[in-house]
Amino acid sequence: MNTPVETLMQYILMLKNNGVSDTRVLQAMELIPREPFTTPAFLSRAYEDTALPIASGQTLSQPSVVAKMTQALDVGPRHKVLEIGTGTGFQAAVLSQLARRVYTIERFADLARNANQTLLDLELVNVTVITGDGSHGLPTQSPFDRIILTAAAEDPPANLLAQLKEGGIMVLPVGQSSTVQTLIKITKTDTGLEYEELEDVRFVPLLAGLA
Ligand code: SAH
């Protein structure tokens, strides 16, 4: 059995082996414990590089994918970030270490409530959890420096692209099915949108309306 320190060292090494090299991202991953975001049945697997089931048939994302998406988002300390798909709040917690302010939207009210409580328990006070359909974005706080989706869309939602600042970055999984999805990074420049394909991923679908 590993000591907690050994477990954490292996976890960070695993992230590095997966191509996470940004030291700010590695630091954020090290500072946010996985246990509070895990259901009791999966506590012993909190630091494995695997997605874990949570309530309402949703998932806590694989840590290497969280770290790689965070790295691709290139978040700065003055940034206002929007996340669609709060789930457990883990991704939002990692972002809270890098950004000035994080808004995260979840369509399941119970997941949003739990995530909010977990974030409060960890005293991550720069995160706001909102229950709603994130595909509309958050017009009252728009525009955003960075937008991240942790549920897969068929196409990048136009509403969200409209709420991205010029110079802003959006990272999201896109795909027509639940089995084949590609992580893409979109940069909004003064002349339009630049697309970069990152890797194949598997996320739950972005669904319309409240759950
Ligand atoms: N980021 C999460 C994992 C995401 S799971 C974490 O760190 O734990 C994807 C989440 O997206 C699910 O909870 C699902 O309910 C939510 N979701 C799907 N479509 C949505 C929508 N239109 N608006 C808000 N949340 C949505």
Side-chain angles (χ1 to χ4, degrees), residues 39-92:
T39 49
F42 292 97
L43 253 190
S44 64
R45 303 182 62 185
Y47 290 90
E48 282 181 23
D49 192 26
T50 173
L52 296 172
I54 57 169
S56 304
Q58 305 303 312
T59 51
L60 165 61
S61 306
Q62 194 178 339
S64 64
V65 174
V66 172
K68 282 188 272 187
M69 287 175 81
T70 307
Q71 179 164 275
L73 205 59
D74 192 19
V75 182
R78 299 178 61 84
H79 285 164
K80 182 159 79 168
V81 181
L82 175 66
E83 180 196 23
I84 313 302
T86 313
T88 63
F90 179 72
Q91 172 74 72

Side-chain angles (χ1 to χ4, degrees), residues 11-40:
Y11 175 68
I12 297 303
L13 187 63
M14 174 279 290
L15 296 176
K16 287 183 179 167
N17 289 339
N18 271 285
V20 183
S21 53
D22 184 328
T23 49
R24 292 183 65 236
V25 174
L26 289 167
Q27 236 164 40
M29 293 294 294
E30 192 171 340
L31 282 170
I32 302 298
R34 290 268 292 176
E35 291 92 340
F37 300 93
T38 313
T39 49

Side-chain angles (χ1 to χ4, degrees), residues 58-59 83 85-86 88 91 106-108 133-134 150 204 207:
Q58 305 303 312
T59 51
E83 180 196 23
T86 313
T88 63
Q91 172 74 72
E106 170 56 55
R107 62 189 286 279
F108 280 97
D133 177 357
T150 58
V204 299
L207 298 173

